[in-house]
Structure formats: structure tokens, C-alpha cells
Amino acid sequence: MRRSIVDNNILTSHCVKTTFRDAKFKDATRQDSCRWLDCLCISYSDDQEESIVPQPGENKSFDAGALNCDSSFAKTGEKSVLNELQEKIASLSKELQKKDAIIESERVAHKAQLKDFITAVKVAERCREETKSELARLIAVCRNVNSPEEVLWFEVMQKFQSCSKRNALLAWAQARLTAYPSISVSNFASDWSDGRAFCALVHHFRPDMVERIMLLQRDECPKLALELAAKLNIHIDSNLFAGSKPDFRRVMAAVFELYKKLELTEQEC
């Protein structure tokens, strides 16, 4: 009887301990479950791709603070990358605006240049037409004049498309002196003072009258020019090539005589 009472006491004590242990285990399990649910909610709210699922039979505890820390680090990294992308986009936008401004300014400048060019072409065409009509009018007037010399002048002017006797005769002389690089004429004064241009014109049409090497002797050319003029029966002043700047009217007259004696004779031949 006494033994059975002892056994009952032991059994009762064991049951109490077991019940207490089970209650403690359930309480711990309940706390772990609450923690797990909190972590799962936090993970879901932060758009985490991986879900935390406890394995059966395992007693795992989750630290919500650690998950929050990881989430904050992830957000910080994403914000940093986003800021860098925004800065790059802003920089590229500014550069694009600059390029657009440059292109627009160049387009405006090109348009203005094109407009000026078209205007210049129109003005040149108008001047050309006016010159041609004026030249035709002068030629018609000249043909009604009985002076043969005036007719010759207008023929030269028509050939070299010039309304000026001086410019037409100068253009004729320049065209005939292209074979003499060391001799250039741009007026009827100083460029003819040494007589070389006069002698070169004679050599162009009559190389038998003067040797080309003589054109290199500057000191001899004034005298040679007078001799050639005399042979061609051209009357010029003996002091025409003596000064550094002869009278352009007398030089023009002498050159025009060369034109009549040499150019027209060559055309007739």
C-alpha cells in the first residue's frame, strides 16, 4: 500500500514536470512562431525575392533587426546606383543640349551664307547683263561713226568684255605676255618704264626682230624699244621709257599702235 502511494507520487511529479516542460516548449515555440511571422511580414513588405520557410522539426529563431539591416543596406545600394544613373542622364542631357545649340548655330550661319551667296550671284548676273547690253549699245554707236580707230577700240573692248579702253587694251597686253613670267603689267605707267614689256610684245609677234635674251638686259631695253618702234613705223617720244613713271596716255597710244601693227596683221594672215 505504501509502495503504491510512493509510486503514485513519483508518477504525479513526473506528469507535472512533463506538463511544465511541454508548456514551456509550447511557449517557446509560440514565441519563435511569432518572430517568424514578423520576419516573413517584413520580408514581404521589402519585396524580398527569397521567402523564409522553416523546415519541419527544426526550431529556428529569426532576428528581425538583422533583416531590417540587410534591407536598409540593399535600399542604400539601390539609391546609390539610381543616383549615379540620374547624374549620367543629366550630364548626357546637358551635352546633348550643347550639341543641339552648336548644330542650330551652324545651320543658321550656313543659311545666312547661302543667302548671301545667292544674292551675290544675282548681282553678278545682273551686272553682267547690264555690261553686255551697254557694250552692245556702244558697238552699235561705234559702227555709225566713220572713225576706223574707234571701231578698232570697240572691237578690243568687245573681245575682252570691257567698257573701258584702258582695261581692254591692258587685258590684251597681259594675254600676250603670259609666256614671259618675269614681265608682268598691271598699269600703263611704271610697269612699262624700262621698255621690257614693249620689247616682249614685239618678240611675241615678231621673234625675228629681237632675241629673247635681250629682254633680260634691263639697261638696254629702253633703247631697244625705241629702235623696234622705229622699225615698225610707230612714232613715240624718245623720252617715253627714260623715266620711272611715264605718261600712261602716251604709253597707251604706243601699245595701241602695236596692236594695230602686229595683232591685226596676224589676224589678216
Side-chain angles (χ1 to χ4, degrees), residues 236-248:
I236 59 176
D237 189 353
S238 59
N239 297 323
L240 182 61
F241 303 112
S244 60
K245 192 174 181 180
D247 183 11
F248 79 93

Side-chain angles (χ1 to χ4, degrees), residues 32-48:
D32 291 342
S33 298
C34 291
R35 290 181 181 178
W36 178 76
L37 289 174
D38 292 338
C39 292
L40 185 61
C41 292
I42 292 171
S43 175
Y44 180 78
S45 63
D46 291 338
D47 295 327
Q48 298 294 326

Side-chain angles (χ1 to χ4, degrees), residues 187-206:
N187 55 57
F188 282 111
S190 58
D191 291 343
W192 300 79
S193 61
D194 57 3
R196 294 176 66 225
F198 189 91
C199 295
L201 284 176
V202 176
H203 179 269
H204 175 78
F205 292 98
R206 297 287 302 274

Side-chain angles (χ1 to χ4, degrees), residues 31-269:
Q31 292 179 359
D32 291 342
S33 298
C34 291
R35 290 181 181 178
W36 178 76
L37 289 174
D38 292 338
C39 292
L40 185 61
C41 292
I42 292 171
S43 175
Y44 180 78
S45 63
D46 291 338
D47 295 327
Q48 298 294 326
E49 293 182 356
E50 296 181 0
S51 61
I52 303 173
V53 181
Q55 298 296 329
E58 293 183 357
N59 184 17
K60 293 186 178 180
S61 61
F62 299 91
D63 191 350
L67 289 176
N68 287 332
C69 184
D70 292 340
S71 177
S72 63
F73 279 129
K75 286 184 177 181
T76 303
E78 292 176 358
K79 288 182 179 179
S80 177
V81 173
L82 182 60
N83 290 335
E84 290 180 0
L85 290 175
Q86 289 177 347
E87 290 177 358
K88 288 183 179 180
I89 291 172
S91 177
L92 291 174
S93 298
K94 290 181 180 179
E95 186 175 355
L96 182 61
Q97 290 177 357
K98 291 181 181 179
K99 297 293 184 182
D100 290 340
I102 293 173
I103 292 173
E104 181 63 21
S105 63
E106 291 181 352
R107 186 186 67 80
V108 172
H110 175 72
K111 187 176 180 180
Q113 291 176 356
L114 182 61
K115 184 178 179 180
D116 293 341
F117 176 75
I118 293 174
T119 302
V121 170
K122 290 181 179 179
V123 171
E125 288 292 335
R126 185 168 61 251
C127 291
R128 181 173 177 271
E129 293 299 325
E130 291 176 356
T131 302
K132 287 177 66 177
S133 61
E134 181 66 15
L135 185 60
R137 186 186 68 81
L138 292 174
I139 291 173
V141 172
C142 178
R143 286 174 179 172
N144 296 327
V145 179
N146 295 326
S147 173
E149 186 169 318
E150 289 296 324
V151 174
L152 292 177
W153 271 116
F154 279 101
E155 287 180 354
V156 176
M157 293 165 63
Q158 183 181 17
K159 183 176 182 179
F160 292 95
Q161 296 184 357
S162 175
C163 294
S164 168
K165 293 181 180 180
R166 174 184 174 278
N167 292 337
L169 188 61
L170 186 62
W172 170 80
Q174 290 171 343
R176 300 299 178 265
L177 292 175
T178 54
Y180 308 90
S182 62
I183 301 174
S184 62
V185 292
S186 59
N187 55 57
F188 282 111
S190 58
D191 291 343
W192 300 79
S193 61
D194 57 3
R196 294 176 66 225
F198 189 91
C199 295
L201 284 176
V202 176
H203 179 269
H204 175 78
F205 292 98
R206 297 287 302 274
D208 58 305
M209 294 183 65
V210 57
E211 296 181 2
R212 188 180 182 114
I213 194 172
M214 296 293 294
L215 302 178
L216 301 177
Q217 301 177 8
R218 291 178 178 271
D219 296 337
E220 299 295 330
C221 281
K223 182 180 178 181
L224 180 61
L226 294 176
E227 293 176 356
L228 293 173
K231 290 180 180 180
L232 293 171
N233 198 22
I234 297 175
H235 301 285
I236 59 176
D237 189 353
S238 59
N239 297 323
L240 182 61
F241 303 112
S244 60
K245 192 174 181 180
D247 183 11
F248 79 93
R249 296 180 184 84
R250 292 191 296 167
V251 174
M252 276 186 63
V255 175
F256 187 62
E257 288 297 321
L258 278 180
Y259 172 80
K260 291 190 292 184
K261 295 285 185 179
L262 301 177
E263 181 76 22
L264 296 181
T265 302
E266 185 181 65
Q267 291 178 2
E268 292 175 358
C269 295

Side-chain angles (χ1 to χ4, degrees), residues 2 10 12 63 109 167 225:
R2 186 176 181 180
I10 293 172
T12 301
D63 191 350
N167 292 337

